[in-house]
Structure formats: structure tokens, C-alpha cells
PDB file of all heavy atoms in Angstrom:
ATOM      1  N   ILE A 235     126.603  92.557  75.677  1.00 97.00           N
ATOM      2  CA  ILE A 235     127.344  93.819  75.982  1.00 97.00           C
ATOM      3  C   ILE A 235     128.214  93.524  77.205  1.00 97.00           C
ATOM      4  O   ILE A 235     127.852  92.845  78.161  1.00 97.00           O
ATOM      5  CB  ILE A 235     126.269  94.924  76.282  1.00 97.00           C
ATOM      6  CG1 ILE A 235     127.026  96.184  76.484  1.00 97.00           C
ATOM      7  CG2 ILE A 235     125.455  94.564  77.471  1.00 97.00           C
ATOM      8  CD1 ILE A 235     126.043  97.453  76.435  1.00 97.00           C
ATOM      9  N   SER A 236     129.421  94.095  77.159  1.00 95.00           N
ATOM     10  CA  SER A 236     130.328  93.806  78.377  1.00 95.00           C
ATOM     11  C   SER A 236     129.891  94.629  79.510  1.00 95.00           C
ATOM     12  O   SER A 236     128.999  95.490  79.339  1.00 95.00           O
ATOM     13  CB  SER A 236     131.610  94.312  77.885  1.00 95.00           C
ATOM     14  OG  SER A 236     131.765  95.717  77.585  1.00 95.00           O
ATOM     15  N   TRP A 237     130.550  94.360  80.701  1.00 93.00           N
ATOM     16  CA  TRP A 237     130.135  94.961  81.966  1.00 93.00           C
ATOM     17  C   TRP A 237     130.293  96.380  81.910  1.00 93.00           C
ATOM     18  O   TRP A 237     129.477  97.086  82.588  1.00 93.00           O
ATOM     19  CB  TRP A 237     130.950  94.259  82.986  1.00 93.00           C
ATOM     20  CG  TRP A 237     132.468  94.605  82.929  1.00 93.00           C
ATOM     21  CD1 TRP A 237     133.373  93.915  82.265  1.00 93.00           C
ATOM     22  CD2 TRP A 237     133.094  95.793  83.464  1.00 93.00           C
ATOM     23  NE1 TRP A 237     134.609  94.619  82.275  1.00 93.00           N
ATOM     24  CE2 TRP A 237     134.426  95.704  83.083  1.00 93.00           C
ATOM     25  CE3 TRP A 237     132.693  96.894  84.204  1.00 93.00           C
ATOM     26  CZ2 TRP A 237     135.424  96.701  83.384  1.00 93.00           C
ATOM     27  CZ3 TRP A 237     133.586  97.925  84.536  1.00 93.00           C
ATOM     28  CH2 TRP A 237     134.967  97.777  84.159  1.00 93.00           C
ATOM     29  N   SER A 238     131.154  97.024  81.190  1.00 91.00           N
ATOM     30  CA  SER A 238     131.288  98.407  81.153  1.00 91.00           C
ATOM     31  C   SER A 238     130.552  98.973  80.086  1.00 91.00           C
ATOM     32  O   SER A 238     130.367 100.196  80.085  1.00 91.00           O
ATOM     33  CB  SER A 238     132.907  98.636  80.767  1.00 91.00           C
ATOM     34  OG  SER A 238     133.236  98.187  79.440  1.00 91.00           O
ATOM     35  N   GLY A 239     129.998  98.245  79.184  1.00 92.00           N
ATOM     36  CA  GLY A 239     129.278  98.756  77.957  1.00 92.00           C
ATOM     37  C   GLY A 239     130.146  99.140  76.893  1.00 92.00           C
ATOM     38  O   GLY A 239     129.706  99.532  75.947  1.00 92.00           O
ATOM     39  N   GLY A 240     131.451  98.930  77.062  1.00 93.00           N
ATOM     40  CA  GLY A 240     132.429  99.326  76.061  1.00 93.00           C
ATOM     41  C   GLY A 240     132.475  98.423  74.818  1.00 93.00           C
ATOM     42  O   GLY A 240     132.964  98.762  73.839  1.00 93.00           O
ATOM     43  N   SER A 241     132.100  97.225  74.910  1.00 96.00           N
ATOM     44  CA  SER A 241     132.060  96.154  73.877  1.00 96.00           C
ATOM     45  C   SER A 241     130.625  95.657  73.685  1.00 96.00           C
ATOM     46  O   SER A 241     129.987  95.302  74.638  1.00 96.00           O
ATOM     47  CB  SER A 241     133.015  95.116  74.128  1.00 96.00           C
ATOM     48  OG  SER A 241     134.331  95.465  74.167  1.00 96.00           O
ATOM     49  N   THR A 242     130.198  95.510  72.414  1.00 97.00           N
ATOM     50  CA  THR A 242     128.955  94.937  72.045  1.00 97.00           C
ATOM     51  C   THR A 242     129.245  93.940  70.910  1.00 97.00           C
ATOM     52  O   THR A 242     130.138  94.060  70.132  1.00 97.00           O
ATOM     53  CB  THR A 242     127.917  95.908  71.559  1.00 97.00           C
ATOM     54  OG1 THR A 242     128.448  96.698  70.515  1.00 97.00           O
ATOM     55  CG2 THR A 242     127.624  96.955  72.787  1.00 97.00           C
ATOM     56  N   TYR A 243     128.341  92.861  70.957  1.00 98.00           N
ATOM     57  CA  TYR A 243     128.368  91.816  69.915  1.00 98.00           C
ATOM     58  C   TYR A 243     127.073  91.475  69.436  1.00 98.00           C
ATOM     59  O   TYR A 243     126.176  91.515  70.275  1.00 98.00           O
ATOM     60  CB  TYR A 243     129.064  90.551  70.672  1.00 98.00           C
ATOM     61  CG  TYR A 243     130.372  90.788  71.301  1.00 98.00           C
ATOM     62  CD1 TYR A 243     130.444  91.306  72.607  1.00 98.00           C
ATOM     63  CD2 TYR A 243     131.575  90.595  70.635  1.00 98.00           C
ATOM     64  CE1 TYR A 243     131.666  91.447  73.237  1.00 98.00           C
ATOM     65  CE2 TYR A 243     132.716  90.828  71.225  1.00 98.00           C
ATOM     66  CZ  TYR A 243     132.881  91.261  72.507  1.00 98.00           C
ATOM     67  OH  TYR A 243     134.142  91.484  73.106  1.00 98.00           O
ATOM     68  N   TYR A 244     126.948  91.198  68.111  1.00 98.00           N
ATOM     69  CA  TYR A 244     125.638  90.926  67.609  1.00 98.00           C
ATOM     70  C   TYR A 244     125.860  89.778  66.611  1.00 98.00           C
ATOM     71  O   TYR A 244     126.825  89.577  65.935  1.00 98.00           O
ATOM     72  CB  TYR A 244     125.235  92.064  66.733  1.00 98.00           C
ATOM     73  CG  TYR A 244     124.932  93.331  67.610  1.00 98.00           C
ATOM     74  CD1 TYR A 244     125.816  94.374  67.628  1.00 98.00           C
ATOM     75  CD2 TYR A 244     123.698  93.440  68.207  1.00 98.00           C
ATOM     76  CE1 TYR A 244     125.660  95.446  68.413  1.00 98.00           C
ATOM     77  CE2 TYR A 244     123.435  94.670  68.892  1.00 98.00           C
ATOM     78  CZ  TYR A 244     124.405  95.566  69.070  1.00 98.00           C
ATOM     79  OH  TYR A 244     124.136  96.732  69.817  1.00 98.00           O
ATOM     80  N   ALA A 245     124.855  88.834  66.565  1.00 98.00           N
ATOM     81  CA  ALA A 245     124.740  87.798  65.582  1.00 98.00           C
ATOM     82  C   ALA A 245     124.494  88.494  64.292  1.00 98.00           C
ATOM     83  O   ALA A 245     123.778  89.655  64.094  1.00 98.00           O
ATOM     84  CB  ALA A 245     123.618  86.923  65.965  1.00 98.00           C
ATOM     85  N   ASP A 246     125.015  87.952  63.220  1.00 98.00           N
ATOM     86  CA  ASP A 246     124.695  88.450  61.915  1.00 98.00           C
ATOM     87  C   ASP A 246     123.402  88.725  61.488  1.00 98.00           C
ATOM     88  O   ASP A 246     123.046  89.679  60.796  1.00 98.00           O
ATOM     89  CB  ASP A 246     125.397  87.565  60.764  1.00 98.00           C
ATOM     90  CG  ASP A 246     126.921  87.592  60.787  1.00 98.00           C
ATOM     91  OD1 ASP A 246     127.495  88.626  61.434  1.00 98.00           O
ATOM     92  OD2 ASP A 246     127.580  86.656  60.272  1.00 98.00           O
ATOM     93  N   SER A 247     122.492  87.828  62.102  1.00 98.00           N
ATOM     94  CA  SER A 247     121.017  87.850  61.738  1.00 98.00           C
ATOM     95  C   SER A 247     120.319  89.062  62.212  1.00 98.00           C
ATOM     96  O   SER A 247     119.266  89.568  61.769  1.00 98.00           O
ATOM     97  CB  SER A 247     120.346  86.630  62.127  1.00 98.00           C
ATOM     98  OG  SER A 247     120.481  86.413  63.633  1.00 98.00           O
ATOM     99  N   VAL A 248     120.939  89.722  63.262  1.00 98.00           N
ATOM    100  CA  VAL A 248     120.368  90.904  63.781  1.00 98.00           C
ATOM    101  C   VAL A 248     121.210  92.190  63.748  1.00 98.00           C
ATOM    102  O   VAL A 248     120.645  93.359  64.065  1.00 98.00           O
ATOM    103  CB  VAL A 248     120.006  90.744  65.430  1.00 98.00           C
ATOM    104  CG1 VAL A 248     119.275  89.391  65.552  1.00 98.00           C
ATOM    105  CG2 VAL A 248     121.307  90.752  66.199  1.00 98.00           C
ATOM    106  N   LYS A 249     122.401  92.113  63.127  1.00 98.00           N
ATOM    107  CA  LYS A 249     123.330  93.262  63.119  1.00 98.00           C
ATOM    108  C   LYS A 249     122.633  94.252  62.200  1.00 98.00           C
ATOM    109  O   LYS A 249     122.099  93.978  61.172  1.00 98.00           O
ATOM    110  CB  LYS A 249     124.651  92.748  62.496  1.00 98.00           C
ATOM    111  CG  LYS A 249     125.708  93.721  62.771  1.00 98.00           C
ATOM    112  CD  LYS A 249     127.048  93.054  62.292  1.00 98.00           C
ATOM    113  CE  LYS A 249     127.445  91.863  63.096  1.00 98.00           C
ATOM    114  NZ  LYS A 249     128.722  91.234  62.621  1.00 98.00           N
ATOM    115  N   GLY A 250     122.741  95.546  62.701  1.00 98.00           N
ATOM    116  CA  GLY A 250     122.155  96.634  61.899  1.00 98.00           C
ATOM    117  C   GLY A 250     120.714  96.890  62.273  1.00 98.00           C
ATOM    118  O   GLY A 250     120.191  97.857  61.902  1.00 98.00           O
ATOM    119  N   ARG A 251     120.081  95.936  62.871  1.00 98.00           N
ATOM    120  CA  ARG A 251     118.598  96.189  63.211  1.00 98.00           C
ATOM    121  C   ARG A 251     118.460  96.217  64.781  1.00 98.00           C
ATOM    122  O   ARG A 251     117.493  96.993  65.318  1.00 98.00           O
ATOM    123  CB  ARG A 251     117.812  95.057  62.702  1.00 98.00           C
ATOM    124  CG  ARG A 251     117.861  94.891  61.159  1.00 98.00           C
ATOM    125  CD  ARG A 251     116.981  93.760  60.660  1.00 98.00           C
ATOM    126  NE  ARG A 251     117.314  92.497  61.208  1.00 98.00           N
ATOM    127  CZ  ARG A 251     116.355  91.731  61.921  1.00 98.00           C
ATOM    128  NH1 ARG A 251     115.283  92.239  62.180  1.00 98.00           N
ATOM    129  NH2 ARG A 251     116.661  90.485  62.271  1.00 98.00           N
ATOM    130  N   PHE A 252     119.172  95.547  65.575  1.00 98.00           N
ATOM    131  CA  PHE A 252     119.039  95.401  66.959  1.00 98.00           C
ATOM    132  C   PHE A 252     120.177  96.235  67.616  1.00 98.00           C
ATOM    133  O   PHE A 252     121.404  96.300  67.075  1.00 98.00           O
ATOM    134  CB  PHE A 252     119.150  94.052  67.437  1.00 98.00           C
ATOM    135  CG  PHE A 252     117.994  93.124  67.084  1.00 98.00           C
ATOM    136  CD1 PHE A 252     117.058  93.501  66.312  1.00 98.00           C
ATOM    137  CD2 PHE A 252     117.891  91.900  67.768  1.00 98.00           C
ATOM    138  CE1 PHE A 252     115.962  92.777  65.912  1.00 98.00           C
ATOM    139  CE2 PHE A 252     116.789  91.049  67.447  1.00 98.00           C
ATOM    140  CZ  PHE A 252     115.817  91.483  66.512  1.00 98.00           C
ATOM    141  N   THR A 253     119.877  96.830  68.729  1.00 98.00           N
ATOM    142  CA  THR A 253     120.863  97.597  69.531  1.00 98.00           C
ATOM    143  C   THR A 253     120.723  97.170  70.986  1.00 98.00           C
ATOM    144  O   THR A 253     119.656  97.392  71.575  1.00 98.00           O
ATOM    145  CB  THR A 253     120.730  99.137  69.286  1.00 98.00           C
ATOM    146  OG1 THR A 253     120.823  99.497  67.964  1.00 98.00           O
ATOM    147  CG2 THR A 253     121.802  99.789  70.057  1.00 98.00           C
ATOM    148  N   ILE A 254     121.851  96.815  71.549  1.00 98.00           N
ATOM    149  CA  ILE A 254     121.934  96.384  72.829  1.00 98.00           C
ATOM    150  C   ILE A 254     122.540  97.567  73.668  1.00 98.00           C
ATOM    151  O   ILE A 254     123.479  98.241  73.256  1.00 98.00           O
ATOM    152  CB  ILE A 254     122.677  95.166  73.139  1.00 98.00           C
ATOM    153  CG1 ILE A 254     122.499  94.596  74.565  1.00 98.00           C
ATOM    154  CG2 ILE A 254     124.226  95.201  72.835  1.00 98.00           C
ATOM    155  CD1 ILE A 254     122.978  93.145  74.782  1.00 98.00           C
ATOM    156  N   SER A 255     121.973  97.745  74.918  1.00 98.00           N
ATOM    157  CA  SER A 255     122.465  98.827  75.805  1.00 98.00           C
ATOM    158  C   SER A 255     122.233  98.457  77.265  1.00 98.00           C
ATOM    159  O   SER A 255     121.507  97.457  77.529  1.00 98.00           O
ATOM    160  CB  SER A 255     121.855 100.153  75.474  1.00 98.00           C
ATOM    161  OG  SER A 255     120.463 100.220  75.730  1.00 98.00           O
ATOM    162  N   ARG A 256     122.813  99.177  78.178  1.00 97.00           N
ATOM    163  CA  ARG A 256     122.705  98.936  79.653  1.00 97.00           C
ATOM    164  C   ARG A 256     122.581 100.225  80.383  1.00 97.00           C
ATOM    165  O   ARG A 256     123.341 101.246  79.960  1.00 97.00           O
ATOM    166  CB  ARG A 256     123.696  97.986  80.119  1.00 97.00           C
ATOM    167  CG  ARG A 256     125.174  98.428  80.040  1.00 97.00           C
ATOM    168  CD  ARG A 256     126.045  97.383  80.326  1.00 97.00           C
ATOM    169  NE  ARG A 256     125.875  96.761  81.760  1.00 97.00           N
ATOM    170  CZ  ARG A 256     126.315  95.590  82.100  1.00 97.00           C
ATOM    171  NH1 ARG A 256     126.979  94.797  81.296  1.00 97.00           N
ATOM    172  NH2 ARG A 256     126.171  95.224  83.401  1.00 97.00           N
ATOM    173  N   ASP A 257     121.968 100.217  81.526  1.00 96.00           N
ATOM    174  CA  ASP A 257     122.040 101.329  82.327  1.00 96.00           C
ATOM    175  C   ASP A 257     122.326 100.782  83.764  1.00 96.00           C
ATOM    176  O   ASP A 257     121.611 100.183  84.447  1.00 96.00           O
ATOM    177  CB  ASP A 257     120.686 102.034  82.457  1.00 96.00           C
ATOM    178  CG  ASP A 257     120.680 103.235  83.364  1.00 96.00           C
ATOM    179  OD1 ASP A 257     121.519 103.415  84.230  1.00 96.00           O
ATOM    180  OD2 ASP A 257     119.814 104.084  83.079  1.00 96.00           O
ATOM    181  N   ASN A 258     123.708 100.959  84.092  1.00 93.00           N
ATOM    182  CA  ASN A 258     124.138 100.243  85.379  1.00 93.00           C
ATOM    183  C   ASN A 258     123.491 100.935  86.609  1.00 93.00           C
ATOM    184  O   ASN A 258     123.370 100.220  87.614  1.00 93.00           O
ATOM    185  CB  ASN A 258     125.619 100.352  85.423  1.00 93.00           C
ATOM    186  CG  ASN A 258     126.350  99.332  84.472  1.00 93.00           C
ATOM    187  OD1 ASN A 258     125.530  98.424  83.886  1.00 93.00           O
ATOM    188  ND2 ASN A 258     127.562  99.434  84.278  1.00 93.00           N
ATOM    189  N   ALA A 259     123.111 102.149  86.492  1.00 93.00           N
ATOM    190  CA  ALA A 259     122.424 102.852  87.655  1.00 93.00           C
ATOM    191  C   ALA A 259     121.107 102.162  87.952  1.00 93.00           C
ATOM    192  O   ALA A 259     120.600 102.231  89.036  1.00 93.00           O
ATOM    193  CB  ALA A 259     122.384 104.373  87.336  1.00 93.00           C
ATOM    194  N   LYS A 260     120.337 101.676  86.827  1.00 95.00           N
ATOM    195  CA  LYS A 260     119.138 101.101  86.978  1.00 95.00           C
ATOM    196  C   LYS A 260     119.195  99.567  86.966  1.00 95.00           C
ATOM    197  O   LYS A 260     118.118  99.013  87.084  1.00 95.00           O
ATOM    198  CB  LYS A 260     118.128 101.525  85.946  1.00 95.00           C
ATOM    199  CG  LYS A 260     117.880 102.998  85.857  1.00 95.00           C
ATOM    200  CD  LYS A 260     116.942 103.442  84.837  1.00 95.00           C
ATOM    201  CE  LYS A 260     116.629 104.918  84.814  1.00 95.00           C
ATOM    202  NZ  LYS A 260     115.695 105.351  83.741  1.00 95.00           N
ATOM    203  N   ASN A 261     120.260  99.034  86.998  1.00 95.00           N
ATOM    204  CA  ASN A 261     120.434  97.560  86.883  1.00 95.00           C
ATOM    205  C   ASN A 261     119.635  96.960  85.727  1.00 95.00           C
ATOM    206  O   ASN A 261     118.962  95.868  85.992  1.00 95.00           O
ATOM    207  CB  ASN A 261     120.042  96.940  88.333  1.00 95.00           C
ATOM    208  CG  ASN A 261     121.095  97.045  89.293  1.00 95.00           C
ATOM    209  OD1 ASN A 261     122.139  97.754  89.104  1.00 95.00           O
ATOM    210  ND2 ASN A 261     120.950  96.563  90.453  1.00 95.00           N
ATOM    211  N   THR A 262     119.643  97.570  84.653  1.00 96.00           N
ATOM    212  CA  THR A 262     118.836  97.141  83.572  1.00 96.00           C
ATOM    213  C   THR A 262     119.537  97.092  82.209  1.00 96.00           C
ATOM    214  O   THR A 262     120.311  97.936  81.977  1.00 96.00           O
ATOM    215  CB  THR A 262     117.537  98.027  83.442  1.00 96.00           C
ATOM    216  OG1 THR A 262     116.829  98.023  84.665  1.00 96.00           O
ATOM    217  CG2 THR A 262     116.595  97.481  82.449  1.00 96.00           C
ATOM    218  N   MET A 263     119.204  96.119  81.394  1.00 97.00           N
ATOM    219  CA  MET A 263     119.799  95.997  80.104  1.00 97.00           C
ATOM    220  C   MET A 263     118.559  96.070  79.214  1.00 97.00           C
ATOM    221  O   MET A 263     117.462  95.663  79.506  1.00 97.00           O
ATOM    222  CB  MET A 263     120.516  94.724  79.885  1.00 97.00           C
ATOM    223  CG  MET A 263     120.950  94.327  78.504  1.00 97.00           C
ATOM    224  SD  MET A 263     121.604  92.753  78.383  1.00 97.00           S
ATOM    225  CE  MET A 263     120.266  91.653  78.783  1.00 97.00           C
ATOM    226  N   TYR A 264     118.902  96.475  77.873  1.00 98.00           N
ATOM    227  CA  TYR A 264     117.828  96.705  76.929  1.00 98.00           C
ATOM    228  C   TYR A 264     118.251  96.111  75.548  1.00 98.00           C
ATOM    229  O   TYR A 264     119.427  95.990  75.278  1.00 98.00           O
ATOM    230  CB  TYR A 264     117.568  98.243  76.772  1.00 98.00           C
ATOM    231  CG  TYR A 264     117.283  99.020  77.973  1.00 98.00           C
ATOM    232  CD1 TYR A 264     118.263  99.681  78.592  1.00 98.00           C
ATOM    233  CD2 TYR A 264     116.086  99.026  78.430  1.00 98.00           C
ATOM    234  CE1 TYR A 264     117.996 100.400  79.806  1.00 98.00           C
ATOM    235  CE2 TYR A 264     115.746  99.723  79.593  1.00 98.00           C
ATOM    236  CZ  TYR A 264     116.778 100.462  80.287  1.00 98.00           C
ATOM    237  OH  TYR A 264     116.444 101.123  81.448  1.00 98.00           O
ATOM    238  N   LEU A 265     117.219  95.824  74.756  1.00 98.00           N
ATOM    239  CA  LEU A 265     117.396  95.338  73.434  1.00 98.00           C
ATOM    240  C   LEU A 265     116.441  96.158  72.538  1.00 98.00           C
ATOM    241  O   LEU A 265     115.297  95.844  72.608  1.00 98.00           O
ATOM    242  CB  LEU A 265     117.378  93.851  73.247  1.00 98.00           C
ATOM    243  CG  LEU A 265     117.697  93.359  71.884  1.00 98.00           C
ATOM    244  CD1 LEU A 265     119.213  93.552  71.655  1.00 98.00           C
ATOM    245  CD2 LEU A 265     117.329  91.873  71.728  1.00 98.00           C
ATOM    246  N   GLN A 266     116.949  97.073  71.783  1.00 98.00           N
ATOM    247  CA  GLN A 266     116.107  97.810  70.904  1.00 98.00           C
ATOM    248  C   GLN A 266     116.017  96.966  69.606  1.00 98.00           C
ATOM    249  O   GLN A 266     117.077  96.857  68.983  1.00 98.00           O
ATOM    250  CB  GLN A 266     116.608  99.161  70.580  1.00 98.00           C
ATOM    251  CG  GLN A 266     115.723  99.990  69.693  1.00 98.00           C
ATOM    252  CD  GLN A 266     114.348 100.245  70.134  1.00 98.00           C
ATOM    253  OE1 GLN A 266     114.082 100.640  71.292  1.00 98.00           O
ATOM    254  NE2 GLN A 266     113.332 100.164  69.332  1.00 98.00           N
ATOM    255  N   MET A 267     114.882  96.546  69.091  1.00 98.00           N
ATOM    256  CA  MET A 267     114.647  95.792  68.001  1.00 98.00           C
ATOM    257  C   MET A 267     113.911  96.541  66.959  1.00 98.00           C
ATOM    258  O   MET A 267     112.735  96.862  67.204  1.00 98.00           O
ATOM    259  CB  MET A 267     113.996  94.548  68.371  1.00 98.00           C
ATOM    260  CG  MET A 267     114.730  93.726  69.495  1.00 98.00           C
ATOM    261  SD  MET A 267     113.960  92.032  69.731  1.00 98.00           S
ATOM    262  CE  MET A 267     112.372  92.464  70.281  1.00 98.00           C
ATOM    263  N   ASN A 268     114.589  96.803  65.827  1.00 98.00           N
ATOM    264  CA  ASN A 268     113.923  97.644  64.663  1.00 98.00           C
ATOM    265  C   ASN A 268     113.821  96.767  63.431  1.00 98.00           C
ATOM    266  O   ASN A 268     114.465  95.759  63.391  1.00 98.00           O
ATOM    267  CB  ASN A 268     114.715  98.866  64.475  1.00 98.00           C
ATOM    268  CG  ASN A 268     114.641  99.819  65.640  1.00 98.00           C
ATOM    269  OD1 ASN A 268     113.759  99.947  66.413  1.00 98.00           O
ATOM    270  ND2 ASN A 268     115.757 100.563  65.796  1.00 98.00           N
ATOM    271  N   SER A 269     112.940  97.154  62.556  1.00 98.00           N
ATOM    272  CA  SER A 269     112.893  96.477  61.233  1.00 98.00           C
ATOM    273  C   SER A 269     112.679  95.005  61.526  1.00 98.00           C
ATOM    274  O   SER A 269     113.269  94.129  60.862  1.00 98.00           O
ATOM    275  CB  SER A 269     114.156  96.697  60.438  1.00 98.00           C
ATOM    276  OG  SER A 269     114.370  97.967  60.204  1.00 98.00           O
TER     277      SER A 269
END
């Protein structure tokens, strides 16, 4: 995920199942992994 959160990139193997996000106020990044 880019510094602004405006761009995200995924490997084909995880696309549609994983979601990356960030909370700059908490200095934390997340990876939600489903299926």
C-alpha cells in the first residue's frame, strides 16, 4: 500500500482474498486475509 493509502497492489495468488490497509494515526498497517 502506498504512503497515502491511495494505491494498493496484490500478488495474483492473494487478489480477491486479501485486503491491505493502513491507519496512519495509529502507525499501523493491516492485512485482512479471508478464504
Side-chain angles (χ1 to χ4, degrees):
I235 186 166
S236 62
W237 63 271
S238 67
S241 297
T242 56
Y243 304 88
Y244 297 94
D246 286 343
S247 57
V248 308
K249 201 174 294 182
R251 301 185 299 121
F252 291 10
T253 302
I254 191 170
S255 62
R256 64 190 297 159
D257 184 339
N258 286 350
K260 295 183 178 179
N261 285 3
T262 303
M263 172 182 65
Y264 305 97
L265 186 67
Q266 178 66 44
M267 306 187 295
N268 298 330
S269 302

